[in-house]
Amino acid sequence: MDRILLSHGSGGTMMHKLIREHFAPKFDLKSFNDSAVLHGIKKGKLAFTTDSYVVSPIFFPGGNIGDLAVYGTINDLSMVGAQPLYITAGFILEEGFQFEDLKKILSSMSIAAEKAGVKIVAGDTKVVNKGKADGIFINTSGIGIIENRIDISPSNVKPGDKIILSGPIGNHGISVIGERNGISFNPPVLSDTAPLNSLVKEMLKITKKINAMRDPTRGGLATTLKEIALDSGYCIFIEEDSIPVPSGVKGACELLGLDPLYVANEGILVAIVSPDVSDKLINVMKRHSLAKDARIIGEVRKSPEGMVLLKTSIGGTRIVEMLSGDQLPRIC
Amino acid sequence: MDRILLSHGSGGTMMHKLIREHFAPKFDLKSFNDSAVLHGIKKGKLAFTTDSYVVSPIFFPGGNIGDLAVYGTINDLSMVGAQPLYITAGFILEEGFQFEDLKKILSSMSIAAEKAGVKIVAGDTKVVNKGKADGIFINTSGIGIIENRIDISPSNVKPGDKIILSGPIGNHGISVIGERNGISFNPPVLSDTAPLNSLVKEMLKITKKINAMRDPTRGGLATTLKEIALDSGYCIFIEEDSIPVPSGVKGACELLGLDPLYVANEGILVAIVSPDVSDKLINVMKRHSLAKDARIIGEVRKSPEGMVLLKTSIGGTRIVEMLSGDQLPRIC
């Protein structure tokens, strides 16, 4: 048997076999209870998040839907300063999905969880008829603990704050779009999918004065900065020349008519920090393998309120809006 | 605009509008952060669970995919004795899905959460191309707190324990299958989808000696009892005559060639309890609106190990196995 059947989702013997043979060995499922019971949770603030992954294609240069789903939820928790602890995984499989592909994806999830130091403690599998889904969709939810002193929220952002970007933009989106369209790039463009929790941990050792933090995924850096501008009520002013765009991403964007500012990322972060700690933070970040290119790309200004302004390479200033339309569906 | 477009899932302006106008008013989303930050979590044991819902059709007599998704996760938490607190909701929408249906589903989720006393604190929306999903899939994940004295696990089950069933079987599965096939029953069969947390709370006030608890969903009562038999290593002995099967369910099962023991339920529970507390529990349960028909349906025996035996109405004994095959796909 090399394909998923409807009976794998029926709740009966076939599903139990699937879970025992394929899911349980890869995850930290303790029992056949539907809920994981977690001991020793410390008193404090808890972060709780969810994300569904429908990326197409499911395998792309640098990753697949499995590690993307684990890292994406780890990163959502990390962005509020939480230490990610536990993850659940819900699978929607299309009848006929290849077992070989499922095994690869589960292995990637297991390796990703171990790499990031989190446990996958509960799961769920549903199967829908052929033609009623697209191979595999994965939902991951996660919880993490936030130290009481940490309070990361756009409402803390103040004029004068520096905007730090941890690395180059556009790699994830271009790797997926390239794979989807059968285009390969030279140099190759690999997804940046990676767990940001250890980087954030290092940053929070240096200072608690991180006022806002986001990972610019769907909608890209532009949309993320616009969200922060709207949520904080201030102006985000950035300089185009300071934003690293890899040559492969630049070339692909020109070819495909895309703006790298709107292309999804899965392994970088934007932090809005007090100016008195920005240099110290950059120094610490540069020593981390995921943020060698960390740099200040701009600052928070009092006005125009809620706007993102970009100083272009040729010296002009343009207004940056959120992504509009559907130029990049199913990127994560 | 009355339908979901791909751009509603792109991460940009359309998605923000969808979240602000439709999701945020119905849920307890505090900010545009991807993670909810939850304060005042007490030290103790935490329960964490996830479930994806792919039920077809999405509206059925007695409920829809929305309240089913909320109650299902509440019930999974309740079955380990947790008090459900917070829920996340992840949506996968098919391009072209009717806004009208989405609104109805979100309203049901909101009402369901309020009825059960839980908050929906974080969400996610993805949109896939027409033909790549089936209208709407919903994942809910949930967390709840377990009092330290509570320890519900099949490993606590002992020979002599009584098996309590809280209500009649088969209503959910038959209501969905009937709707799917355009059959109506007289008397009508309504899904039993309901939140079991308040019933469990009343039960735990009386005794902590609940050794195992499960809600018999996919695979029905038979599969759930077989799971308990395997996990505990003892024999589950039940009497057919003691299991309430509504006349509508009985008739539909005869018509469709189904065994009610294998039909899914969404608002009943099975509890394995010490014989010295079973009568007290039944009394308390009968006073709750969701367990008026609560009764003892059998007992745990030492052997044959891992087996479920059913004493039939005509006096014979048959072996009950798990559901095999795919007779009832997409029931939840």
Side-chain angles (χ1 to χ4, degrees):
Chain A
M1 186 163 42
D2 59 350
R3 286 174 184 274
I4 289 288
L5 308 175
L6 271 180
S7 47
H8 283 115
S10 68
T13 45
M14 295 280 284
M15 195 179 84
H16 280 76
K17 196 164 157 354
L18 176 71
I19 294 171
R20 279 188 210 277
E21 291 180 4
H22 295 280
F23 290 83
K26 295 292 178 193
F27 299 162
D28 289 273
L29 313 177
K30 300 282 182 245
S31 75
F32 263 78
N33 275 329
D34 285 317
S35 291
V37 175
L38 311 169
H39 294 260
I41 296 289
K42 285 182 218 150
K43 201 174 162 173
K45 288 186 288 188
L46 203 67
F48 188 20
T49 191
T50 194
D51 245 326
S52 296
Y53 293 84
V54 299
V55 64
S56 171
I58 54 176
F59 297 99
F60 45 83
N64 64 55
I65 191 171
D67 41 31
L68 186 68
V70 172
Y71 293 150
T73 284
I74 285 171
N75 293 349
D76 282 348
L77 293 171
S78 302
M79 292 307 104
V80 293
Q83 182 195 345
L85 296 175
Y86 300 107
I87 280 183
T88 60
F91 296 84
I92 298 174
L93 304 174
E94 183 189 8
E95 184 186 16
F97 187 66
Q98 296 273 4
F99 251 103
E100 223 26 62
D101 288 342
L102 181 62
K103 281 189 215 168
K104 274 186 220 160
I105 290 164
L106 294 177
S107 285
S108 294
M109 293 180 78
S110 175
I111 292 165
E114 196 177 322
K115 192 171 155 188
V118 302
K119 287 191 195 307
I120 302 174
V121 291
D124 174 59
T125 309
K126 295 291 188 307
V127 181
V128 298
N129 323 60
K130 182 91 190 151
K132 298 296 182 184
D134 193 13
I136 182 169
F137 301 144
I138 303 177
N139 175 284
T140 50
S141 297
I143 55 177
I145 291 290
I146 308 174
E147 266 188 60
N148 270 322
R149 292 173 302 164
I150 296 170
D151 174 28
I152 299 172
S153 159
S155 58
N156 298 332
V157 167
K158 284 173 290 293
D161 281 356
K162 298 295 180 189
I163 299 158
I164 295 175
L165 178 67
S166 70
I169 64 170
N171 284 307
H172 175 72
I174 294 302
S175 88
V176 172
I177 295 162
E179 187 70 18
R180 191 187 295 170
N181 294 292
I183 308 167
S184 59
F185 305 105
N186 193 359
V189 177
L190 304 182
S191 168
D192 59 350
T193 180
L196 293 167
N197 53 329
S198 72
L199 173 62
V200 171
K201 197 174 172 185
E202 293 304 315
M203 291 167 68
L204 287 169
K205 273 185 198 165
I206 295 298
T207 179
K208 307 292 180 240
K209 288 186 191 167
I210 297 173
N211 293 329
M213 197 153 53
R214 291 277 166 89
D215 55 335
T217 57
R218 272 189 292 180
L221 181 62
T223 301
T224 292
L225 292 175
K226 180 70 179 178
E227 285 173 5
I228 296 173
L230 288 172
D231 291 353
S232 68
Y234 293 116
C235 165
I236 303 288
F237 186 91
I238 52 169
E239 298 196 27
E240 188 170 25
D241 280 345
S242 66
I243 300 168
V245 183
S247 62
V249 170
K250 204 174 282 176
C253 281
E254 276 165 22
L255 183 76
L256 300 163
L258 299 172
D259 182 340
L261 280 179
Y262 292 93
V263 176
N265 313 279
E266 292 287 344
I268 59 169
L269 63 82
V270 177
I272 317 283
V273 305
S274 275
D276 56 313
V277 296
S278 57
D279 287 344
K280 263 195 292 186
L281 269 173
I282 297 276
N283 284 338
V284 164
M285 292 173 74
K286 278 176 174 295
R287 289 202 291 271
H288 194 283
S289 62
L290 292 177
K292 284 194 200 107
D293 286 323
R295 64 188 70 187
I296 293 170
I297 62 164
E299 61 181 20
V300 178
R301 293 184 177 179
K302 195 142 197 270
S303 64
E305 291 166 22
M307 282 178 77
V308 179
L309 297 181
L310 176 82
K311 191 179 157 200
T312 63
S313 304
I314 55 164
T317 301
R318 74 173 169 99
I319 296 170
V320 176
E321 295 293 355
M322 277 190 193
L323 177 68
S324 65
D326 55 356
Q327 60 164 330
L328 301 169
R330 300 186 64 186
I331 211 72
C332 63
Chain B
M1 187 162 45
D2 59 349
R3 287 175 184 272
I4 290 288
L5 308 175
L6 270 180
S7 47
H8 283 116
S10 68
T13 46
M14 296 280 284
M15 195 178 86
H16 280 76
K17 196 164 151 16
L18 175 71
I19 294 172
R20 278 188 210 277
E21 291 179 7
H22 295 281
F23 290 83
K26 295 291 177 195
F27 299 163
D28 289 274
L29 313 177
K30 300 282 182 247
S31 75
F32 263 79
N33 274 329
D34 285 318
S35 290
V37 175
L38 310 169
H39 294 258
I41 296 289
K42 285 181 218 151
K43 201 173 161 175
K45 288 186 288 188
L46 203 68
F48 188 18
T49 191
T50 193
D51 245 326
S52 296
Y53 294 84
V54 299
V55 64
S56 170
I58 55 175
F59 296 99
F60 46 82
N64 64 54
I65 191 171
D67 40 32
L68 185 69
V70 172
Y71 293 150
T73 284
I74 285 171
N75 293 349
D76 281 348
L77 294 171
S78 302
M79 291 308 104
V80 293
Q83 181 195 344
L85 296 174
Y86 301 107
I87 280 182
T88 59
F91 296 84
I92 297 174
L93 303 174
E94 184 188 7
E95 183 185 16
F97 188 65
Q98 295 274 4
F99 251 103
E100 223 26 62
D101 287 343
L102 181 62
K103 281 189 215 167
K104 274 186 221 160
I105 290 164
L106 294 178
S107 285
S108 294
M109 293 181 78
S110 174
I111 292 166
E114 196 176 323
K115 193 171 154 186
V118 303
K119 286 190 194 310
I120 302 174
V121 292
D124 175 58
T125 309
K126 296 292 189 306
V127 181
V128 299
N129 323 61
K130 182 91 189 150
K132 297 297 183 184
D134 192 14
I136 182 169
F137 300 145
I138 302 177
N139 176 284
T140 50
S141 297
I143 55 177
I145 291 290
I146 308 174
E147 266 187 58
N148 270 322
R149 291 173 304 164
I150 296 169
D151 174 27
I152 299 172
S153 158
S155 58
N156 298 331
V157 168
K158 283 174 291 294
D161 282 357
K162 298 294 180 191
I163 298 158
I164 295 175
L165 178 67
S166 69
I169 63 170
N171 284 308
H172 175 71
I174 295 300
S175 88
V176 172
I177 294 163
E179 186 70 19
R180 192 187 296 170
N181 295 293
I183 309 167
S184 58
F185 305 106
N186 193 358
V189 177
L190 304 182
S191 168
D192 59 349
T193 180
L196 293 167
N197 53 329
S198 72
L199 173 62
V200 171
K201 198 174 170 184
E202 292 305 316
M203 292 168 68
L204 287 170
K205 273 185 197 164
I206 295 297
T207 179
K208 308 291 180 240
K209 288 187 190 167
I210 297 173
N211 293 329
M213 197 153 51
R214 290 276 166 90
D215 55 335
T217 57
R218 272 189 292 179
L221 181 62
T223 301
T224 293
L225 292 174
K226 179 71 180 179
E227 285 173 5
I228 296 173
L230 288 173
D231 291 355
S232 69
Y234 293 118
C235 165
I236 303 289
F237 186 91
I238 52 170
E239 298 196 27
E240 188 170 24
D241 280 345
S242 66
I243 300 168
V245 184
S247 63
V249 170
K250 205 174 280 175
C253 281
E254 276 167 21
L255 183 75
L256 300 163
L258 298 172
D259 182 340
L261 281 178
Y262 292 92
V263 176
N265 313 280
E266 292 287 344
I268 59 170
L269 62 81
V270 176
I272 316 282
V273 306
S274 275
D276 56 313
V277 296
S278 58
D279 288 344
K280 263 195 293 186
L281 270 172
I282 296 276
N283 285 339
V284 164
M285 291 173 76
K286 278 177 174 294
R287 289 203 291 270
H288 194 284
S289 62
L290 292 177
K292 284 191 201 111
D293 287 323
R295 64 188 69 187
I296 293 170
I297 60 164
E299 61 180 21
V300 178
R301 293 183 177 181
K302 195 145 197 272
S303 63
E305 290 166 23
M307 281 177 79
V308 179
L309 296 181
L310 176 82
K311 191 179 157 199
T312 64
S313 305
I314 53 164
T317 301
R318 72 171 170 100
I319 297 169
V320 177
E321 295 293 355
M322 277 188 193
L323 177 69
S324 66
D326 54 358
Q327 59 165 330
L328 301 169
R330 298 187 64 186
I331 211 72
C332 61

